[in-house]
Amino acid sequence: AAAAAAGECPAGTGASCVPAVSEVEEFEVRLMQERIQIVQERMSGRDKLQQQQQQQQQQQQQQQQQHQQHQQYQQHQQFHASAREVASQKAASHAVLSRETVTAASGTTTTTTESVTGLTLNGAGDLVTFITSVVTYGFGALVLVFIFGYLRTSYPIMYAHNSILGLVAFMPDETFWGWVPASMEYKLEEAIESIGLDNAMMIEYFNLMTKIFLTIGVPMFCIIGPMNCAFGGFAAGEDHLSYFSFGNVEFGSWLYWVHPFVTWGVVLVVTCNLYDAQRKFLVH
């Protein structure tokens, strides 16, 4: 008992001997327990703080997602609203065109030729503008031709240099209109040798366009135009410029069966001439 009170156990006493614990040791134990409790409370507070931060981050992410979804929904609604507006505008424009094409006086329905590119239709008074433009530009073209004729005869070395050197087989006459028969005697092979392939092809391109214009333009003006004017029904009204065009053909006219063949005829003429010109170009 004395040994136990002194905090020591003699050898051989076994588990029956319990050493006494001093007050200092008990204080240290309580102090350690308090520290452990403080550390645990701090750790639990830190965990709670982290959880709160994570919850706040999740809430912010959810708010951002909801904001993005709301913006996408608004954009979707705006797109559909603009699409409906465009569709309504198109429907309104088509309705206006349909109302304009109905002529109450004659009891017939006419057609228009307005382009989707925004170009305006021919109107009353445009024929005078067209004739004025033709006269103005025609007069300007004649002035340029006379200037060219004068300069050609005054400075032959500038306008007939290859002929003077003998690079081509013909020599233009020194008259005012001498360049016309010389141009008619033009040969592609001589042009390639004297002025080069590119310049010769430019002349051939002009010849090709002239051939296509004459092949299409003459029948259009002399046959199709008078047919539209005489049998179209005068759908153009006061628009005299459109009397020879399809704009003068009323809806349901038998000329609607003629113009598809005319269209395919134009396609065939242009295609055949282009293929023929390309075949000749590949030879050189």
Side-chain angles (χ1 to χ4, degrees), residues 207-209 211-213 215-216 263-281:
N207 293 335
L208 173 63
M209 295 300 104
K211 183 178 179 181
I212 293 176
F213 173 76
T215 307
I216 297 175
T263 303
W264 279 108
V266 172
V267 173
L268 291 176
V269 169
V270 174
T271 304
C272 293
N273 280 277
L274 287 177
Y275 284 166
D276 184 63
Q278 186 179 18
R279 187 165 44 252
K280 293 179 181 179
F281 171 75

Side-chain angles (χ1 to χ4, degrees), residues 103 106 108-111 225-240 242-251 253 255:
T103 55
S106 60
T108 58
T109 303
T110 60
T111 180
M227 289 176 62
N228 293 334
C229 182
F231 308 108
F234 291 99
E238 297 297 327
D239 179 18
H240 300 150
S242 299
Y243 277 6
F244 270 35
S245 68
F246 192 76
N248 195 45
V249 180
E250 63 182 4
F251 184 78
S253 173
L255 290 175

